[in-house]
Amino acid sequence: MRKPSVSVRKLAVLAAVTAAAATAASLALSSSHREAPNIMLDPSADNTDVYAWTAKDANHSITVASDWIPGQVPANGPNFFRFDDRAKYYIQFDNTGDGVADVKYLFKFNTRVRNPNSFLYAGPGTMGFGDPGLNVIQRYDVTRLKYKHGKLKARHVVAEDLPVAPPNIGPKTFPNYDNFVDAATRHLPGGGKIFVGQRDDPFYVDLGATFDAINVREGTGNEGQGKDDFSGLSTSAVVLQLPEQKVTRDSEQVTDADANNAVVGVWSTTDRRRLQVTNATGGGSHDKAVQSRKNRFVQVSRLGNPLINEVVIPLGKKDQFNRTTPDEDAARYGTYALNPELAAILNALFGIDAPEHNRTDIVQALLQGIPDLNQHSGKNAGTPVDTLKLNLGVTPTKHPDRFGVIGGDNAGFPNGRRLEDDVVDIELQVVAGILVGNPVPLGDGVDKNDKPFLSEFPYLAAPDSGLDSNPSDRFEPPHAPVPPGGGS
């Protein structure tokens, strides 16, 4: 029987978080948008967020939402946002805890323009993918890759030529946009579902206040009144729901939270060829050079926990971080994490006595996993790697607490990450020291997304149309101060 997500285990879990750890961790206070110099110049390859959770309507399945291409203003035409046909997009799973992928799902895209003599993405009154008025059509293939000790052992094409839901241009162009969403929502052979296309960006944060030296607009950010700078913006989403046995170490369903196969680490990446020439698709000599086997694909972006690269990794290492893999994190970046710069900044701004050195509590909460909750079992238990670790045996919470584990809700972040989890407030309070006896009611003043999430697949809210585009206009209403962790 699965164990409840909010239970008497809370005290034991929180106590375990404070245990010492031997190696480094990293932390972020928001999501991965424009996090490194090179990827800032390549938005179509930029991972923005990864979410992994057990959906309330899909028990014994893992649901992953991986978003790419930050800051999509819905009205930005006529060349609207889309996945890049020249890139490889991956969702990766580590079921042993060593930071090396055991299962990958690869997404490759192909875009066709029906009428290159028209400037329109679609003509007025386009009703669906079969409508000749749809001028730009993007489709994709899904391939499952299985590894052992980092070596590819099996490759299986799961589905081919599936449609990508187009951008929501507006009601005159797409009188019934849901037609495209429904047609892009597919059942996968062997179980599971998939959706790929534009959705409302589920991340919420007062970005202006955050990067203006945590310049919260009211109090310590726990009284609302923050500006949701991602409100009204869209993202390009891959939502993948799989039976648990597709990603567990023994290919079996998870029986309960204590099962040896219960914890899975999740992250996403983007690969490009080392040499990339714009529009090199004409079949000439340049195209042959680009497609050569010698011109191999290399990783240019990655994202696991929300957002270590912006805040912990220094400018000189950010691009390197995007090129490397989770199993290298402790050795390469540990020196920047145990003494987080953010803690010193918070002390300078608020005088909150946040510990500035030897932050092994952060290591455990985010990189090693919390014992008896989302730490891998077996020989790699406690290995510090930047993956989003989810215990598939924890029952979903009927009414999620936005503070996740520090709010007593063990089904929330950092045990995976749900759409509702307020990772900005959680991580600010963790850096301040809530896990080591220094609870401080920090936040950014934004408590939820600008749109309610869906109760069924694909869960992310629909994007605003281009006609209705009005980004970054939502302010959180004022409210009474919220105690640390949301407690009373």
Short mmCIF file of all heavy atoms in Angstrom, two decimals, residues 77-137:
data_model
loop_
_atom_site.label_atom_id
_atom_site.label_comp_id
_atom_site.label_asym_id
_atom_site.label_seq_id
_atom_site.Cartn_x
_atom_site.Cartn_y
_atom_site.Cartn_z
N GLY A 77 4.47 37.33 -34.24
CA GLY A 77 4.46 36.74 -35.56
C GLY A 77 5.20 37.64 -36.53
O GLY A 77 5.78 38.66 -36.12
N PRO A 78 5.23 37.31 -37.81
CA PRO A 78 4.55 36.16 -38.42
C PRO A 78 5.32 34.84 -38.26
O PRO A 78 4.78 33.78 -38.54
CB PRO A 78 4.48 36.55 -39.90
CG PRO A 78 5.71 37.38 -40.12
CD PRO A 78 5.89 38.15 -38.83
N ASN A 79 6.60 34.92 -37.82
CA ASN A 79 7.38 33.69 -37.62
C ASN A 79 7.30 33.31 -36.14
O ASN A 79 8.11 33.75 -35.33
CB ASN A 79 8.83 33.91 -38.05
CG ASN A 79 8.94 34.18 -39.54
OD1 ASN A 79 8.59 33.33 -40.35
ND2 ASN A 79 9.39 35.36 -39.90
N PHE A 80 6.28 32.54 -35.83
CA PHE A 80 6.01 32.20 -34.45
C PHE A 80 7.02 31.17 -33.93
O PHE A 80 7.76 30.55 -34.68
CB PHE A 80 4.59 31.67 -34.30
CG PHE A 80 3.54 32.72 -34.57
CD1 PHE A 80 3.02 32.91 -35.85
CD2 PHE A 80 3.09 33.54 -33.55
CE1 PHE A 80 2.06 33.88 -36.09
CE2 PHE A 80 2.13 34.52 -33.78
CZ PHE A 80 1.62 34.69 -35.06
N PHE A 81 7.04 31.00 -32.61
CA PHE A 81 8.02 30.13 -31.95
C PHE A 81 7.76 28.65 -32.30
O PHE A 81 6.61 28.22 -32.40
CB PHE A 81 7.95 30.31 -30.44
CG PHE A 81 8.19 31.73 -29.99
CD1 PHE A 81 7.14 32.61 -29.82
CD2 PHE A 81 9.48 32.19 -29.77
CE1 PHE A 81 7.36 33.91 -29.41
CE2 PHE A 81 9.72 33.48 -29.37
CZ PHE A 81 8.66 34.35 -29.18
N ARG A 82 8.85 27.88 -32.42
CA ARG A 82 8.72 26.45 -32.67
C ARG A 82 10.03 25.74 -32.31
O ARG A 82 11.08 26.37 -32.18
CB ARG A 82 8.36 26.16 -34.11
CG ARG A 82 9.39 26.59 -35.14
CD ARG A 82 8.95 26.19 -36.55
NE ARG A 82 9.83 26.68 -37.59
CZ ARG A 82 10.93 26.06 -38.00
NH1 ARG A 82 11.30 24.93 -37.43
NH2 ARG A 82 11.68 26.56 -38.97
N PHE A 83 9.93 24.43 -32.13
CA PHE A 83 11.11 23.61 -31.93
C PHE A 83 11.98 23.64 -33.20
O PHE A 83 11.46 23.79 -34.31
CB PHE A 83 10.72 22.17 -31.60
CG PHE A 83 10.09 21.99 -30.26
CD1 PHE A 83 8.71 21.95 -30.11
CD2 PHE A 83 10.87 21.87 -29.12
CE1 PHE A 83 8.12 21.78 -28.87
CE2 PHE A 83 10.30 21.70 -27.87
CZ PHE A 83 8.92 21.66 -27.74
N ASP A 84 13.29 23.49 -33.01
CA ASP A 84 14.23 23.55 -34.12
C ASP A 84 14.45 22.16 -34.71
O ASP A 84 14.84 21.23 -34.00
CB ASP A 84 15.57 24.12 -33.62
CG ASP A 84 16.52 24.48 -34.75
OD1 ASP A 84 16.33 23.98 -35.89
OD2 ASP A 84 17.45 25.27 -34.51
N ASP A 85 14.20 22.01 -36.02
CA ASP A 85 14.37 20.73 -36.69
C ASP A 85 15.81 20.22 -36.61
O ASP A 85 16.06 19.02 -36.76
CB ASP A 85 13.98 20.83 -38.16
CG ASP A 85 12.52 21.19 -38.37
OD1 ASP A 85 11.76 21.20 -37.38
OD2 ASP A 85 12.13 21.44 -39.52
N ARG A 86 16.77 21.11 -36.41
CA ARG A 86 18.19 20.72 -36.42
C ARG A 86 18.68 20.24 -35.07
O ARG A 86 19.81 19.74 -34.96
CB ARG A 86 19.03 21.91 -36.88
CG ARG A 86 18.69 22.40 -38.29
CD ARG A 86 19.28 23.77 -38.54
NE ARG A 86 18.74 24.75 -37.59
CZ ARG A 86 19.13 26.01 -37.53
NH1 ARG A 86 20.08 26.46 -38.34
NH2 ARG A 86 18.60 26.83 -36.65
N ALA A 87 17.89 20.39 -34.03
CA ALA A 87 18.30 20.01 -32.68
C ALA A 87 17.72 18.65 -32.29
O ALA A 87 16.77 18.16 -32.90
CB ALA A 87 17.85 21.07 -31.68
N LYS A 88 18.31 18.06 -31.25
CA LYS A 88 17.76 16.87 -30.62
C LYS A 88 17.36 17.24 -29.19
O LYS A 88 18.16 17.79 -28.44
CB LYS A 88 18.79 15.74 -30.58
CG LYS A 88 19.12 15.14 -31.94
CD LYS A 88 20.10 13.98 -31.79
CE LYS A 88 20.39 13.31 -33.12
NZ LYS A 88 21.33 12.16 -32.97
N TYR A 89 16.12 16.93 -28.85
CA TYR A 89 15.59 17.24 -27.53
C TYR A 89 15.39 15.93 -26.76
O TYR A 89 14.86 14.96 -27.30
CB TYR A 89 14.26 17.97 -27.65
CG TYR A 89 14.34 19.29 -28.41
CD1 TYR A 89 14.20 19.33 -29.79
CD2 TYR A 89 14.54 20.49 -27.74
CE1 TYR A 89 14.26 20.53 -30.49
CE2 TYR A 89 14.61 21.70 -28.42
CZ TYR A 89 14.46 21.71 -29.80
OH TYR A 89 14.54 22.89 -30.48
N TYR A 90 15.82 15.92 -25.49
CA TYR A 90 15.76 14.70 -24.69
C TYR A 90 15.07 14.95 -23.35
O TYR A 90 15.25 16.01 -22.73
CB TYR A 90 17.16 14.20 -24.37
CG TYR A 90 17.97 13.67 -25.52
CD1 TYR A 90 18.82 14.51 -26.24
CD2 TYR A 90 17.92 12.32 -25.87
CE1 TYR A 90 19.59 14.02 -27.29
CE2 TYR A 90 18.69 11.82 -26.92
CZ TYR A 90 19.52 12.69 -27.63
OH TYR A 90 20.28 12.20 -28.66
N ILE A 91 14.33 13.94 -22.88
CA ILE A 91 13.95 13.80 -21.48
C ILE A 91 14.67 12.56 -20.98
O ILE A 91 14.57 11.49 -21.60
CB ILE A 91 12.44 13.68 -21.30
CG1 ILE A 91 11.74 14.98 -21.74
CG2 ILE A 91 12.08 13.36 -19.85
CD1 ILE A 91 10.23 14.92 -21.69
N GLN A 92 15.40 12.69 -19.86
CA GLN A 92 16.28 11.63 -19.40
C GLN A 92 15.88 11.15 -18.00
O GLN A 92 15.41 11.94 -17.18
CB GLN A 92 17.73 12.13 -19.38
CG GLN A 92 18.14 12.79 -20.69
CD GLN A 92 19.63 12.79 -20.90
OE1 GLN A 92 20.34 11.89 -20.46
NE2 GLN A 92 20.13 13.79 -21.61
N PHE A 93 16.11 9.86 -17.75
CA PHE A 93 15.75 9.24 -16.49
C PHE A 93 16.95 8.46 -15.94
O PHE A 93 17.57 7.66 -16.65
CB PHE A 93 14.57 8.28 -16.67
CG PHE A 93 13.32 8.92 -17.20
CD1 PHE A 93 13.09 8.98 -18.57
CD2 PHE A 93 12.40 9.49 -16.35
CE1 PHE A 93 11.94 9.57 -19.07
CE2 PHE A 93 11.24 10.08 -16.83
CZ PHE A 93 11.02 10.13 -18.20
N ASP A 94 17.25 8.68 -14.67
CA ASP A 94 18.29 7.94 -13.95
C ASP A 94 17.59 7.16 -12.85
O ASP A 94 17.04 7.74 -11.91
CB ASP A 94 19.31 8.93 -13.36
CG ASP A 94 20.24 8.29 -12.34
OD1 ASP A 94 20.41 7.05 -12.37
OD2 ASP A 94 20.79 9.04 -11.50
N ASN A 95 17.60 5.82 -12.93
CA ASN A 95 16.90 5.02 -11.92
C ASN A 95 17.85 4.32 -10.95
O ASN A 95 17.41 3.53 -10.12
CB ASN A 95 15.95 4.01 -12.57
CG ASN A 95 16.63 3.15 -13.63
OD1 ASN A 95 17.76 2.71 -13.45
ND2 ASN A 95 15.92 2.92 -14.75
N THR A 96 19.15 4.64 -11.03
CA THR A 96 20.11 4.04 -10.10
C THR A 96 20.79 5.06 -9.19
O THR A 96 21.46 4.68 -8.23
CB THR A 96 21.19 3.27 -10.87
OG1 THR A 96 21.91 4.18 -11.71
CG2 THR A 96 20.58 2.16 -11.71
N GLY A 97 20.67 6.35 -9.51
CA GLY A 97 21.21 7.39 -8.64
C GLY A 97 22.65 7.79 -8.92
O GLY A 97 23.23 8.53 -8.13
N ASP A 98 23.22 7.36 -10.05
CA ASP A 98 24.61 7.71 -10.34
C ASP A 98 24.74 8.95 -11.22
O ASP A 98 25.85 9.37 -11.55
CB ASP A 98 25.34 6.54 -10.99
CG ASP A 98 24.72 6.09 -12.31
OD1 ASP A 98 23.69 6.66 -12.72
OD2 ASP A 98 25.27 5.15 -12.92
N GLY A 99 23.61 9.56 -11.63
CA GLY A 99 23.66 10.75 -12.46
C GLY A 99 23.88 10.47 -13.93
O GLY A 99 24.13 11.39 -14.71
N VAL A 100 23.79 9.21 -14.33
CA VAL A 100 23.94 8.80 -15.72
C VAL A 100 22.60 8.26 -16.20
O VAL A 100 21.95 7.48 -15.50
CB VAL A 100 25.04 7.73 -15.88
CG1 VAL A 100 25.14 7.25 -17.32
CG2 VAL A 100 26.37 8.26 -15.39
N ALA A 101 22.18 8.66 -17.40
CA ALA A 101 20.86 8.27 -17.89
C ALA A 101 20.78 6.77 -18.12
O ALA A 101 21.68 6.16 -18.70
CB ALA A 101 20.55 9.01 -19.18
N ASP A 102 19.70 6.17 -17.66
CA ASP A 102 19.39 4.77 -17.93
C ASP A 102 18.33 4.64 -19.02
O ASP A 102 18.29 3.64 -19.73
CB ASP A 102 18.89 4.09 -16.66
CG ASP A 102 19.93 4.11 -15.55
OD1 ASP A 102 20.99 3.49 -15.73
OD2 ASP A 102 19.70 4.80 -14.53
N VAL A 103 17.49 5.66 -19.14
CA VAL A 103 16.46 5.70 -20.18
C VAL A 103 16.39 7.13 -20.70
O VAL A 103 16.42 8.09 -19.91
CB VAL A 103 15.07 5.27 -19.65
CG1 VAL A 103 14.01 5.40 -20.74
CG2 VAL A 103 15.11 3.85 -19.10
N LYS A 104 16.32 7.27 -22.01
CA LYS A 104 16.12 8.58 -22.62
C LYS A 104 14.97 8.50 -23.62
O LYS A 104 14.78 7.48 -24.29
CB LYS A 104 17.37 9.04 -23.39
CG LYS A 104 18.61 9.25 -22.57
CD LYS A 104 19.75 9.76 -23.46
CE LYS A 104 21.06 9.91 -22.71
NZ LYS A 104 22.14 10.43 -23.59
N TYR A 105 14.23 9.58 -23.72
CA TYR A 105 13.26 9.75 -24.79
C TYR A 105 13.74 10.90 -25.67
O TYR A 105 13.93 12.02 -25.19
CB TYR A 105 11.86 10.01 -24.23
CG TYR A 105 11.18 8.74 -23.78
CD1 TYR A 105 11.51 8.15 -22.56
CD2 TYR A 105 10.23 8.11 -24.58
CE1 TYR A 105 10.91 6.97 -22.14
CE2 TYR A 105 9.62 6.92 -24.17
CZ TYR A 105 9.96 6.36 -22.96
OH TYR A 105 9.36 5.19 -22.55
N LEU A 106 13.95 10.61 -26.94
CA LEU A 106 14.48 11.56 -27.90
C LEU A 106 13.35 12.08 -28.78
O LEU A 106 12.54 11.29 -29.29
CB LEU A 106 15.55 10.88 -28.76
CG LEU A 106 15.96 11.56 -30.07
CD1 LEU A 106 16.61 12.91 -29.82
CD2 LEU A 106 16.89 10.65 -30.88
N PHE A 107 13.34 13.40 -28.98
CA PHE A 107 12.32 14.05 -29.81
C PHE A 107 13.02 14.77 -30.96
O PHE A 107 13.86 15.64 -30.74
CB PHE A 107 11.50 15.03 -28.98
CG PHE A 107 10.85 14.40 -27.79
CD1 PHE A 107 11.55 14.28 -26.58
CD2 PHE A 107 9.57 13.88 -27.86
CE1 PHE A 107 10.98 13.67 -25.48
CE2 PHE A 107 8.99 13.27 -26.75
CZ PHE A 107 9.71 13.17 -25.57
N LYS A 108 12.66 14.38 -32.18
CA LYS A 108 13.20 15.00 -33.39
C LYS A 108 12.05 15.57 -34.21
O LYS A 108 11.03 14.90 -34.43
CB LYS A 108 13.97 13.97 -34.21
CG LYS A 108 15.37 13.71 -33.72
CD LYS A 108 16.33 14.86 -34.10
CE LYS A 108 16.54 14.92 -35.61
NZ LYS A 108 17.33 16.11 -35.98
N PHE A 109 12.23 16.81 -34.69
CA PHE A 109 11.15 17.55 -35.33
C PHE A 109 11.41 17.76 -36.82
O PHE A 109 12.55 17.79 -37.28
CB PHE A 109 10.97 18.91 -34.63
CG PHE A 109 10.49 18.77 -33.22
CD1 PHE A 109 11.39 18.57 -32.18
CD2 PHE A 109 9.14 18.82 -32.91
CE1 PHE A 109 10.97 18.43 -30.87
CE2 PHE A 109 8.70 18.67 -31.61
CZ PHE A 109 9.62 18.48 -30.58
N ASN A 110 10.31 17.91 -37.55
CA ASN A 110 10.37 18.20 -38.98
C ASN A 110 9.26 19.19 -39.32
O ASN A 110 8.08 18.96 -38.98
CB ASN A 110 10.22 16.93 -39.80
CG ASN A 110 10.27 17.20 -41.29
OD1 ASN A 110 11.27 17.69 -41.81
ND2 ASN A 110 9.18 16.90 -41.98
N THR A 111 9.62 20.29 -39.96
CA THR A 111 8.66 21.35 -40.26
C THR A 111 8.51 21.50 -41.77
O THR A 111 9.49 21.50 -42.51
CB THR A 111 9.13 22.69 -39.67
OG1 THR A 111 9.38 22.53 -38.27
CG2 THR A 111 8.08 23.77 -39.87
N ARG A 112 7.25 21.60 -42.20
CA ARG A 112 6.96 21.75 -43.63
C ARG A 112 6.11 23.00 -43.84
O ARG A 112 5.18 23.28 -43.07
CB ARG A 112 6.21 20.52 -44.14
CG ARG A 112 5.86 20.57 -45.63
CD ARG A 112 5.43 19.19 -46.11
NE ARG A 112 4.18 18.77 -45.53
CZ ARG A 112 2.98 18.94 -46.11
NH1 ARG A 112 2.89 19.58 -47.26
NH2 ARG A 112 1.89 18.50 -45.51
N VAL A 113 6.43 23.76 -44.89
CA VAL A 113 5.65 24.92 -45.29
C VAL A 113 4.93 24.58 -46.59
O VAL A 113 5.57 24.29 -47.61
CB VAL A 113 6.53 26.17 -45.48
CG1 VAL A 113 5.69 27.35 -45.95
CG2 VAL A 113 7.25 26.51 -44.19
N ARG A 114 3.61 24.59 -46.55
CA ARG A 114 2.83 24.21 -47.73
C ARG A 114 2.98 25.22 -48.86
O ARG A 114 3.13 24.86 -50.02
CB ARG A 114 1.36 24.07 -47.34
CG ARG A 114 1.00 22.75 -46.68
CD ARG A 114 -0.45 22.75 -46.25
NE ARG A 114 -0.92 21.41 -45.91
CZ ARG A 114 -1.90 21.16 -45.07
NH1 ARG A 114 -2.51 22.15 -44.45
NH2 ARG A 114 -2.26 19.92 -44.83
N ASN A 115 2.90 26.49 -48.50
CA ASN A 115 2.95 27.55 -49.52
C ASN A 115 4.01 28.56 -49.15
O ASN A 115 3.75 29.51 -48.40
CB ASN A 115 1.58 28.22 -49.65
CG ASN A 115 1.58 29.32 -50.69
OD1 ASN A 115 2.54 29.47 -51.47
ND2 ASN A 115 0.52 30.12 -50.72
N PRO A 116 5.22 28.41 -49.66
CA PRO A 116 6.29 29.34 -49.32
C PRO A 116 6.08 30.74 -49.89
O PRO A 116 6.82 31.66 -49.54
CB PRO A 116 7.53 28.67 -49.92
CG PRO A 116 7.03 27.80 -51.01
CD PRO A 116 5.68 27.33 -50.55
N ASN A 117 5.09 30.90 -50.74
CA ASN A 117 4.80 32.22 -51.31
C ASN A 117 3.83 33.03 -50.47
O ASN A 117 3.43 34.13 -50.86
CB ASN A 117 4.26 32.07 -52.73
CG ASN A 117 5.29 31.48 -53.68
OD1 ASN A 117 6.45 31.88 -53.65
ND2 ASN A 117 4.87 30.51 -54.49
N SER A 118 3.41 32.49 -49.33
CA SER A 118 2.53 33.20 -48.41
C SER A 118 3.29 33.56 -47.15
O SER A 118 4.17 32.83 -46.71
CB SER A 118 1.32 32.32 -48.05
OG SER A 118 0.55 32.92 -47.03
N PHE A 119 2.94 34.71 -46.55
CA PHE A 119 3.56 35.09 -45.27
C PHE A 119 2.79 34.53 -44.08
O PHE A 119 3.26 34.59 -42.95
CB PHE A 119 3.66 36.62 -45.15
CG PHE A 119 2.35 37.31 -44.84
CD1 PHE A 119 1.95 37.52 -43.52
CD2 PHE A 119 1.51 37.73 -45.85
CE1 PHE A 119 0.76 38.14 -43.21
CE2 PHE A 119 0.31 38.37 -45.56
CZ PHE A 119 -0.07 38.58 -44.24
N LEU A 120 1.63 33.96 -44.31
CA LEU A 120 0.77 33.51 -43.22
C LEU A 120 1.22 32.17 -42.66
O LEU A 120 1.60 31.26 -43.40
CB LEU A 120 -0.67 33.39 -43.71
CG LEU A 120 -1.40 34.69 -44.05
CD1 LEU A 120 -2.77 34.37 -44.64
CD2 LEU A 120 -1.55 35.55 -42.80
N TYR A 121 1.15 32.03 -41.34
CA TYR A 121 1.32 30.74 -40.69
C TYR A 121 0.11 29.87 -40.99
O TYR A 121 0.24 28.66 -41.24
CB TYR A 121 1.48 30.94 -39.18
CG TYR A 121 1.95 29.74 -38.42
CD1 TYR A 121 3.26 29.65 -37.99
CD2 TYR A 121 1.10 28.68 -38.13
CE1 TYR A 121 3.72 28.54 -37.29
CE2 TYR A 121 1.53 27.58 -37.43
CZ TYR A 121 2.84 27.50 -37.01
OH TYR A 121 3.29 26.41 -36.33
N ALA A 122 -1.07 30.48 -40.96
CA ALA A 122 -2.32 29.80 -41.29
C ALA A 122 -3.31 30.84 -41.78
O ALA A 122 -3.27 32.01 -41.37
CB ALA A 122 -2.87 29.06 -40.08
N GLY A 123 -4.21 30.41 -42.64
CA GLY A 123 -5.22 31.32 -43.15
C GLY A 123 -6.41 31.44 -42.21
O GLY A 123 -6.58 30.64 -41.28
N PRO A 124 -7.26 32.43 -42.42
CA PRO A 124 -8.44 32.61 -41.57
C PRO A 124 -9.34 31.38 -41.59
O PRO A 124 -9.52 30.74 -42.63
CB PRO A 124 -9.15 33.82 -42.21
CG PRO A 124 -8.08 34.53 -42.98
CD PRO A 124 -7.15 33.47 -43.46
N GLY A 125 -9.86 31.03 -40.42
CA GLY A 125 -10.82 29.94 -40.32
C GLY A 125 -10.22 28.55 -40.39
O GLY A 125 -10.94 27.58 -40.66
N THR A 126 -8.92 28.41 -40.08
CA THR A 126 -8.29 27.09 -40.10
C THR A 126 -8.79 26.27 -38.92
O THR A 126 -8.66 26.69 -37.77
CB THR A 126 -6.76 27.22 -40.07
OG1 THR A 126 -6.33 27.97 -41.20
CG2 THR A 126 -6.10 25.87 -40.08
N MET A 127 -9.30 25.08 -39.19
CA MET A 127 -10.00 24.31 -38.15
C MET A 127 -9.22 23.13 -37.60
O MET A 127 -9.60 22.58 -36.56
CB MET A 127 -11.33 23.80 -38.71
CG MET A 127 -12.31 24.91 -39.07
SD MET A 127 -12.73 25.98 -37.66
CE MET A 127 -13.57 24.82 -36.60
N GLY A 128 -8.15 22.72 -38.26
CA GLY A 128 -7.43 21.55 -37.76
C GLY A 128 -6.23 21.23 -38.63
O GLY A 128 -5.94 21.92 -39.61
N PHE A 129 -5.52 20.15 -38.26
CA PHE A 129 -4.31 19.79 -38.98
C PHE A 129 -4.59 19.41 -40.43
O PHE A 129 -3.74 19.59 -41.30
CB PHE A 129 -3.61 18.62 -38.27
CG PHE A 129 -2.94 19.03 -36.99
CD1 PHE A 129 -3.47 18.65 -35.77
CD2 PHE A 129 -1.77 19.79 -37.00
CE1 PHE A 129 -2.85 19.02 -34.58
CE2 PHE A 129 -1.15 20.16 -35.83
CZ PHE A 129 -1.70 19.79 -34.61
N GLY A 130 -5.78 18.88 -40.73
CA GLY A 130 -6.11 18.50 -42.09
C GLY A 130 -6.60 19.64 -42.95
O GLY A 130 -6.81 19.46 -44.16
N ASP A 131 -6.77 20.80 -42.37
CA ASP A 131 -7.27 21.97 -43.11
C ASP A 131 -6.16 22.51 -44.00
O ASP A 131 -5.05 22.80 -43.53
CB ASP A 131 -7.73 23.02 -42.11
CG ASP A 131 -8.55 24.14 -42.75
OD1 ASP A 131 -8.14 24.62 -43.83
OD2 ASP A 131 -9.56 24.53 -42.16
N PRO A 132 -6.40 22.70 -45.31
CA PRO A 132 -5.37 23.24 -46.19
C PRO A 132 -4.95 24.66 -45.84
O PRO A 132 -3.91 25.13 -46.30
CB PRO A 132 -6.02 23.19 -47.58
CG PRO A 132 -7.49 23.11 -47.33
CD PRO A 132 -7.64 22.36 -46.05
N GLY A 133 -5.72 25.33 -44.98
CA GLY A 133 -5.35 26.67 -44.54
C GLY A 133 -4.16 26.69 -43.60
O GLY A 133 -3.54 27.74 -43.40
N LEU A 134 -3.82 25.54 -43.02
CA LEU A 134 -2.65 25.48 -42.14
C LEU A 134 -1.40 25.42 -43.00
O LEU A 134 -1.10 24.41 -43.63
CB LEU A 134 -2.73 24.25 -41.22
CG LEU A 134 -1.62 24.12 -40.18
CD1 LEU A 134 -1.63 25.29 -39.20
CD2 LEU A 134 -1.74 22.80 -39.41
N ASN A 135 -0.65 26.50 -43.02
CA ASN A 135 0.49 26.61 -43.94
C ASN A 135 1.77 26.02 -43.37
O ASN A 135 2.57 25.45 -44.08
CB ASN A 135 0.72 28.08 -44.32
CG ASN A 135 1.67 28.24 -45.47
OD1 ASN A 135 1.74 27.38 -46.35
ND2 ASN A 135 2.42 29.32 -45.49
N VAL A 136 1.98 26.18 -42.04
CA VAL A 136 3.19 25.67 -41.39
C VAL A 136 2.80 24.48 -40.52
O VAL A 136 1.96 24.61 -39.61
CB VAL A 136 3.88 26.76 -40.54
CG1 VAL A 136 5.13 26.20 -39.88
CG2 VAL A 136 4.22 27.97 -41.40
N ILE A 137 3.39 23.33 -40.80
CA ILE A 137 3.04 22.11 -40.08
C ILE A 137 4.32 21.52 -39.50
O ILE A 137 5.26 21.20 -40.24
CB ILE A 137 2.38 21.09 -41.01
CG1 ILE A 137 1.16 21.71 -41.70
CG2 ILE A 137 1.99 19.83 -40.24
CD1 ILE A 137 0.60 20.86 -42.82
#
